[in-house]
Amino acid sequence: GENVEQHPSTLSVQEGDSAVIKCTYSDSASNYFPWYKQELGKRPQLIIDIRSNVGEKKDQRIAVTLNKTAKHFSLHITETQPEDSAVYFCAASGGGTSYGKLTFGQGTILTVHP
Amino acid sequence: EAQVTQNPRYLITVTGKKLTVTCSQNMNHEYMSWYRQDPGLGLRQIYYSMNVEVTDKGDVPEGYKVSRKEKRNFPLILESPSPNQTSLYFCASSRGPSYEQYFGPGTRLTVT
């Protein structure tokens, strides 16, 4: 089945710096890669996603890149703000015989210091 | 208001006492799933359902059952809970597995 590895597990940056979180996946048939943000005590919420036919997607300060050959994708947050502090999860949606499954990474705790 | 609801939000129970966590969505979504969240392990999928009467195992289905008799409801059943099932549980719904998942508020379960 699919295996998603996420790094780093914790990330600490100064306000205004950039933050990058990386994920690798194992199933080449996976075709949808979302990123979720979970604030303390809250439910996860989608912040950006990318499909396998696209290499990069941007939404204001947030961008995601996908390298299908290397089977990795990354979340980039520019000009970080204290309200970006949260746990971030990547995920991969299975293809082929694994269609229907959604596998998440272990999460990254991002702390943005004012 | 479009939403996913779960009940109860908090539950403390004892080993072996059957329990059900309900999940309901009002967005007419076909896809629903259950996850457990444990520190350092992220969100792990327990079961998912592509549509009514269609359910399948996720990555950690042992000790859990589900049913999907109606489109809006997807209850999670623990027939004989054990302490290793102490966790935070999330239900989610969406148009499909490759679309935005809308999560419920979570159910914190403690099994003693």
Side-chain angles (χ1 to χ4, degrees), chain A residues 49-99:
Chain A
D49 56 11
I50 192 167
R51 299 186 185 278
S52 57
N53 59 346
V54 175
E56 183 174 359
K57 185 176 178 180
K58 281 189 75 172
D59 183 3
Q60 300 183 331
R61 297 186 297 109
I62 294 172
V64 56
T65 58
L66 171 65
N67 183 326
K68 283 194 301 181
T69 303
K71 288 190 278 189
H72 69 69
F73 57 112
S74 300
L75 177 71
H76 304 254
I77 306 174
T78 59
E79 300 172 26
T80 54
Q81 301 166 3
E83 50 265 39
D84 294 330
S85 297
V87 182
Y88 291 81
F89 294 99
C90 63
S93 180
T97 56
S98 294
Y99 181 71

Side-chain angles (χ1 to χ4, degrees), chain A residues 2-15:
Chain A
E2 175 69 279
N3 183 47
V4 176
E5 297 286 334
Q6 182 172 346
H7 297 281
S9 56
T10 61
L11 181 58
S12 183
V13 300
Q14 289 295 129
E15 183 176 0

Side-chain angles (χ1 to χ4, degrees), chain B residues 3-108:
Chain B
Q3 59 181 345
V4 178
T5 57
Q6 291 178 231
N7 283 291
R9 295 289 313 281
Y10 303 90
L11 180 59
I12 301 174
T13 189
V14 296
T15 298
K17 186 176 180 183
K18 181 179 179 179
L19 67 93
T20 299
V21 184
T22 64
C23 173
S24 184
Q25 52 95 3
N26 64 0
M27 293 172 277
N28 201 35
H29 285 160
E30 293 188 347
Y31 183 84
M32 297 185 75
S33 57
W34 276 102
Y35 302 88
R36 60 177 291 173
Q37 183 175 17
D38 303 288
L41 297 177
L43 292 152
R44 293 181 291 167
Q45 193 175 48
I46 303 170
Y47 270 94
Y48 62 94
S49 170
M50 299 289 280
N51 213 328
V52 176
E53 302 291 2
V54 181
T55 63
D56 215 337
K57 296 178 181 178
D59 291 321
V60 289
E62 297 78 18
Y64 304 94
K65 283 177 59 175
V66 294
S67 69
R68 187 92 182 273
K69 294 185 171 60
E70 306 165 282
K71 198 171 191 178
R72 63 184 295 127
N73 296 323
F74 191 44
L76 179 70
I77 303 155
L78 286 72
E79 297 223 326
S80 184
S82 63
N84 64 10
Q85 293 178 299
T86 291
S87 187
L88 177 60
Y89 291 87
F90 285 101
C91 178
S93 75
S94 71
R95 292 167 56 193
S98 299
Y99 293 90
E100 178 177 3
Q101 303 295 306
Y102 293 86
F103 285 85
T107 294
R108 186 162 296 279

